[in-house]
Amino acid sequence: MSDKRQASLSQIAADATRGYSTSRATLRFHLLPFKGIEGWYVSSGSRSRSITHCSHRLMVLQSSNLNGATSSSQVSTASLIFPLASQNFSKTCSALKQFTLSVTNRLSSIHHDSLFVQQVADHYKLPLIANERCGSWYIPPQRKAGSTYFKSTDGHQGQWSFSTRRLNLQVLEVVGQYKGCIIVDSTRRGKSMPDALSKTIPIWCAVMNRLLFDDQGQNIGLQTPTAVVAPSEQSQIEFRLDGFVADAKRLQIDTSILRQKLSGPLRPFFVTPDHPFPNLPSQAQKPYHPVVCLTSSHRVYGAENSEDNYIQGAGDDSESWSQGLTPAIFWRHKDTLTSATNTEVPSLIASLVTGEQADVQSQHTAATLITPTSSIWIGSNGSIDSDAWDAVVCCSCTNPVTDLEAKNKAMSTKGQPKVLHLPVPQGKLGSRALRTHLHLLAPFLQPILESNTSEDATKPFKILFTCATGTDLAIGTALVTLCLFFDDDGNRPNSLDRRNENEEVQTDKDTPRVRTKIDKLLIRRRLAWITTAKSDARPSRETLQAVNTCLIGR
């Protein structure tokens, strides 16, 4: 064998023993069984490293000569016997990582962290709010007061932003009711705190304080964790606050209603397992509402397998590992799932998910009225099974109810159908497919609205927009309708022909009202109506791009 080949194998052996093999050291390898994995570990002294797993067994011979005498020379290729299936060490390391990041270990880590979350809630006596989609894994449903959608990308270095797409005004409802709240999130290995908690939420609090309390001298400025955010980064964020406030004001939010919910400004505090329970300053002199930003997982400094199967941020990026499992299903069957073995978990999850999907499809969910209108409602497909609607726009691959066609005929008047079914799937594919169907909304809704306007414009006219969840595609179809057929006061003008230019319109009281052209600002304002009324609305970027293409490209 060539010297190059021998050197290569010697290097592999050295890597396998984490550098414990030297040219002068005596190597003694032993085969040790590893609990929970069908394979073997190679041990060198007190340190060990996996060489292979599954059914392949690695046989490592003691570095010795033929008569049994131990050799002190450098390990040779003749002293190691590797089966062909065990030569790929990258696959070996990948397999060990997959075992460490198994669903079983993730669920156990989530349950472990949830105990700390509940301990913090008991300490501060404040309600728990999940920052989706990770936060809900760590909060038992009976203790969950709501959800938020603060994105970490809005807090990334140099990309700080205040989202006008997700205003998270529902937080003010909880804060006003309980005088504060705890927002729960987590992050994966490498950080002690997610950017959503360390920067995005502090930015949001600062903007809300400027909107609601700046004129009362109660603005407390930007508050960030000093251990995470450097002073230079703090200064750069503060420099952009004026622009964020201006963006929020352009949405024309009714701040008087929001101000009535709060008795003082919002002040963020930061809690992690490594630095729990900071003391909250007294509110005697300056009243404020604490917003506790709680990181549920403690920081792991080493590799994934360095914490005895504990996974930092185990609930993060659940689409990649959950196999359809949701936080609601996990908490309903927590004891069964956490006690199952690795081989039992996949089939157990499959059976639980199948059963839950059948239950969800049979449930009737209430729709939400989008104010200031009195006509636009948004819900899931389960909301269709009702005779309360004058028109329905449904987004789904298949008809969500078996009698949809019969319902369409029953609701029709003068040959005009009252149900529009848009055959689009859920997810990104559905959002992209929505672009090719949004143009059907105007010809479907305009005759219905004109008929209702001519008969009785004061009569409450109810149009329902649905999709499987009621939080994405339905938001897109309702948003297009709001932009096309409703003015800034949420009314339906006599003339329903929206123009892409400024135009003066006569109302019933002969009072001129100016309609502005459809642009991104108008779309953001109408979206603010939806997100204010429906706290769980979370339209994807692809859905909003489909709306922009439909409206601005007209």
Side-chain angles (χ1 to χ4, degrees):
M1 182 176 294
S2 65
D3 294 339
K4 184 177 181 180
R5 176 64 173 170
Q6 180 173 340
S8 176
L9 288 177
S10 298
Q11 182 61 44
I12 291 175
D15 291 342
T17 57
R18 295 197 176 193
Y20 278 37
S21 60
T22 62
S23 58
R24 297 293 182 181
T26 300
L27 299 180
R28 299 178 187 272
F29 296 119
H30 308 279
L31 292 176
L32 298 177
F34 181 67
K35 182 179 180 181
I37 188 170
E38 296 179 0
W40 297 90
Y41 246 45
V42 175
S43 174
S44 176
S46 62
R47 302 293 297 272
S48 60
R49 183 181 179 94
S50 66
I51 300 299
T52 187
H53 83 304
C54 297
S55 60
H56 305 294
R57 296 186 178 183
L58 172 65
M59 298 182 63
V60 183
L61 300 181
Q62 179 179 333
S63 177
S64 59
N65 54 26
L66 294 178
N67 59 11
T70 301
S71 171
S72 60
S73 62
Q74 184 178 6
V75 63
S76 65
T77 56
S79 65
L80 298 175
I81 302 177
F82 291 97
L84 292 178
S86 303
Q87 291 184 4
N88 194 330
F89 275 76
S90 63
K91 289 184 178 179
T92 298
C93 295
S94 176
L96 182 63
K97 181 178 179 179
Q98 290 177 8
F99 169 76
T100 304
L101 299 179
S102 66
V103 177
T104 303
N105 288 344
R106 286 185 180 276
L107 298 181
S108 298
S109 301
I110 288 171
H111 180 244
H112 173 271
D113 292 339
S114 71
L115 299 178
F116 172 70
V117 169
Q118 297 174 68
Q119 185 181 7
V120 174
D122 294 337
H123 176 80
Y124 290 113
K125 296 179 173 56
L126 292 174
L128 295 169
I129 298 178
N131 192 37
E132 305 294 2
R133 291 162 301 195
C134 179
S136 286
W137 289 97
Y138 299 96
I139 305 176
Q142 67 273 16
R143 303 200 63 171
K144 180 179 174 182
S147 296
T148 61
Y149 303 92
F150 293 105
K151 296 178 60 178
S152 286
T153 53
D154 291 334
H156 286 178
Q157 177 75 31
Q159 301 179 20
W160 313 287
S161 178
F162 173 81
S163 175
T164 57
R165 180 159 61 104
R166 295 175 178 173
L167 295 175
N168 291 298
L169 299 181
Q170 69 274 14
V171 177
L172 302 182
E173 295 278 354
V174 179
V175 170
Q177 181 178 356
Y178 297 97
K179 307 305 180 184
C181 70
I182 300 172
I183 301 179
V184 181
D185 202 354
S186 188
T187 188
R188 287 177 286 183
R189 181 173 60 94
K191 287 187 175 181
S192 60
M193 189 181 302
D195 288 343
L197 296 185
S198 63
K199 285 171 279 189
T200 305
I201 292 178
I203 290 172
W204 179 83
C205 290
V207 172
M208 288 293 111
N209 290 338
R210 292 273 293 273
L211 286 176
L212 304 180
F213 300 103
D214 202 20
D215 57 346
Q216 301 180 14
Q218 293 182 298
N219 181 21
I220 59 177
L222 179 68
Q223 304 286 322
T224 59
T226 56
V228 177
V229 181
S232 60
E233 187 175 8
Q234 168 101 1
S235 299
Q236 294 177 68
I237 298 174
E238 289 174 338
F239 180 77
R240 300 191 183 191
L241 283 181
D242 289 341
F244 298 155
V245 174
D247 291 340
K249 289 181 176 179
R250 280 194 284 268
L251 298 178
Q252 299 179 346
I253 303 171
D254 190 349
T255 56
S256 61
I257 297 178
L258 300 178
R259 190 180 292 113
Q260 294 174 3
K261 304 178 188 297
L262 305 177
S263 60
L266 306 171
R267 182 169 181 177
F269 296 89
F270 307 93
V271 175
T272 69
D274 301 319
H275 300 88
F277 311 136
N279 294 325
L280 304 184
S282 172
Q283 302 185 38
Q285 299 296 329
K286 294 183 178 180
Y288 67 89
H289 293 290
V291 178
V292 179
C293 301
L294 171 57
T295 303
S296 59
S297 303
H298 82 84
R299 184 172 184 179
V300 174
Y301 288 91
E304 288 90 349
N305 59 352
S306 62
E307 293 279 339
D308 192 23
N309 295 334
Y310 173 80
I311 302 174
Q312 178 184 349
D316 197 13
D317 192 22
S318 58
E319 293 85 352
S320 65
W321 61 264
S322 64
Q323 303 173 24
L325 188 69
T326 64
I329 299 176
F330 164 69
W331 281 106
R332 271 194 290 272
H333 306 278
K334 172 179 64 66
D335 294 337
T336 304
L337 287 166
T338 53
S339 61
T341 63
N342 282 337
T343 57
E344 296 171 342
V345 163
S347 59
L348 177 59
I349 290 177
S351 63
L352 293 175
V353 170
T354 302
E356 291 285 341
Q357 288 175 344
D359 292 340
V360 169
Q361 291 176 357
S362 63
Q363 291 177 355
H364 174 80
T365 55
T368 302
L369 173 64
I370 306 303
T371 55
T373 77
S374 59
S375 304
I376 302 300
W377 297 72
I378 298 177
S380 64
N381 289 334
S383 306
I384 299 177
D385 195 15
S386 172
D387 297 326
W389 313 111
D390 296 292
V392 175
V393 177
C394 168
C395 297
S396 65
C397 289
T398 57
N399 292 347
V401 289
T402 56
D403 61 340
L404 185 57
E405 294 300 330
K407 185 182 293 292
N408 194 15
K409 295 179 181 179
M411 294 173 62
S412 300
T413 58
K414 301 178 182 180
Q416 176 64 37
K418 295 299 181 69
V419 177
L420 176 62
H421 176 225
L422 304 181
V424 293
Q426 291 301 302
K428 291 185 178 180
L429 293 179
S431 298
R432 294 168 183 168
L434 194 62
R435 299 190 183 200
T436 62
H437 293 85
L438 286 177
H439 70 280
L440 301 174
L441 286 173
F444 169 73
L445 292 173
Q446 186 160 336
I448 299 174
L449 292 172
E450 284 179 341
S451 174
N452 178 261
T453 302
S454 61
E455 294 174 0
D456 185 2
T458 62
K459 176 185 176 182
F461 190 76
K462 302 174 70 174
I463 307 175
L464 175 66
F465 297 85
T466 73
C467 63
T469 61
T471 60
D472 185 13
L473 299 179
I475 306 300
T477 54
L479 181 57
V480 170
T481 303
L482 290 172
C483 292
L484 288 176
F485 298 117
F486 290 82
D487 61 20
D488 290 340
D489 298 321
N491 299 318
R492 290 178 285 117
N494 289 343
S495 174
L496 295 172
D497 182 19
R498 287 301 298 264
R499 308 289 178 83
N500 281 339
E501 58 186 52
N502 292 334
E503 179 185 20
E504 195 174 87
V505 180
Q506 293 295 122
T507 65
D508 294 337
K509 298 181 180 179
D510 295 328
T511 302
R513 179 167 57 241
V514 176
R515 238 195 248 130
T516 57
K517 66 179 180 179
I518 299 180
D519 55 12
K520 288 187 177 180
L521 178 58
L522 178 68
I523 296 173
R524 284 197 293 268
R525 288 174 177 172
R526 298 296 184 265
L527 180 60
W529 291 0
I530 296 176
T531 55
T532 300
K534 187 173 175 59
S535 61
D536 61 343
R538 49 180 188 274
S540 65
R541 185 179 300 275
E542 290 78 11
T543 296
L544 294 180
Q545 288 175 347
V547 171
N548 290 340
T549 301
C550 173
L551 294 176
I552 300 178
R554 295 173 74 240

